[in-house]
Amino acid sequence: MTSGHLPPPRTRFHTPAQERFHFGLRTIPGFTEHSMDFGPVVVSADEVDVFWSYSDQSAERTASPMTARWDGLPAGIHNQVDGYVLQDRFLPAVKVVWEGGRAEGLDLNDAQRVVSDRYEALGDRVVRTPDDPVDLDSLAARAAGFPGRVVAVEAVWDGDAVHDWFVLLLAILDDPCDEAHLATVYRGAAVRLLVGAEDHRHPSAVVAADAGRALAAHLSVPFHFASPEVPDDEAPRWRAP
């Protein structure tokens, strides 16, 4: 998949440091071809595929209450799920719901909807995962701490079944020749930063482009964003002249 409105079927890794599966509201280290480990729960690759298939439905589905599904789960599972939700740990909460309800026919799609309902029910009590800062001072401070000299700033598309499309801001280093993560710009964070602004482009693209250009100008290096108009995780990457 090269472009469109839905995320790619698998996150593509951009650097060894980013070799992780972007799923849930936190990255999950240790993903392999066969499984990934969330502590007490292991998800097989086949099960992950089911999660990914849910993304194909998410753009069109409307919110549907899953009250009966939730009420049918034991009180102990209620407590565990709400504990995860209050910590903004979406994927572990989905796993607990699915494992607790699959014997009664609850599938992964239903589990995700149940947990989404719990987020709505718990509202402001949820301690949200902080957004990555994209102000110039914060990005410049991060860039100054990298082991190599920054020779370019790049924005690239990525996506997963929870966040849909988002943009990674990367610093391209010369020695060692590598990439370093500056910020991940999710749609929700971008929308909050763009309150009142009108732009036809994806909000993450707008914020990442503005922040990337500002940092590149500050560092007197090029800024590269191959596909600012349309999400495309296979757009050409920056190459040194």
Side-chain angles (χ1 to χ4, degrees):
M1 174 176 178
T2 57
S3 63
H5 303 291
L6 292 172
R10 281 284 190 275
T11 293
R12 290 166 174 83
F13 303 139
H14 299 289
T15 70
Q18 290 176 329
E19 286 188 3
R20 55 181 63 93
F21 191 73
H22 291 275
F23 207 106
L25 300 179
R26 299 174 186 272
T27 54
I28 309 298
F31 177 75
T32 68
E33 181 180 356
H34 303 293
S35 68
M36 65 180 176
D37 189 354
F38 299 65
V41 179
V42 174
V43 189
S44 71
D46 288 341
E47 290 161 3
V48 170
D49 286 335
V50 178
F51 271 107
W52 279 107
S53 70
Y54 179 72
S55 69
D56 294 334
Q57 308 164 27
S58 61
E60 298 180 357
R61 75 178 180 85
T62 56
S64 56
M66 299 297 292
T67 304
R69 290 291 199 182
W70 174 249
D71 290 344
L73 296 171
I77 290 179
H78 283 189
N79 292 337
Q80 186 178 17
V81 169
D82 281 355
Y84 279 134
V85 170
L86 289 170
Q87 297 172 27
D88 201 9
R89 300 182 64 191
F90 182 87
L91 191 54
V94 170
K95 282 294 298 171
V96 171
V97 170
W98 176 60
E99 290 192 332
R102 61 182 169 181
E104 302 301 322
L106 186 145
D107 62 21
L108 289 174
N109 295 345
D110 290 341
Q112 185 166 341
R113 295 186 184 105
V114 167
V115 173
S116 294
D117 284 354
R118 295 311 299 159
Y119 267 84
E120 293 181 11
L122 293 171
D124 292 340
R125 294 174 58 195
V126 178
V127 180
R128 299 284 179 174
T129 303
D131 299 327
D132 286 352
V134 291
D135 61 283
L136 177 58
D137 289 344
S138 297
L139 293 175
R142 285 187 59 81
F146 295 145
R149 183 173 66 92
V150 178
V151 296
V153 177
E154 184 173 26
V156 297
W157 287 101
D158 207 338
D160 63 33
V162 173
H163 301 102
D164 198 73
W165 287 106
F166 53 86
V167 178
L168 302 175
L169 269 181
L170 305 174
I172 310 301
L173 310 178
D174 67 343
D175 186 18
C177 184
D178 200 356
E179 300 169 354
H181 177 263
L182 287 163
T184 300
V185 185
Y186 294 116
R187 184 186 186 96
V191 168
R192 287 189 286 274
L193 291 170
L194 294 172
V195 173
E198 293 186 7
D199 198 300
H200 70 280
R201 293 172 295 168
H202 192 291
S204 297
V206 176
V207 170
D210 289 348
R213 287 194 191 97
L215 179 62
H218 175 76
L219 299 175
S220 299
V221 299
F223 172 67
H224 182 260
F225 193 0
S227 183
E229 299 291 330
V230 179
D232 183 355
D233 68 319
E234 296 181 349
R237 296 294 306 277
W238 183 84
R239 293 182 181 276

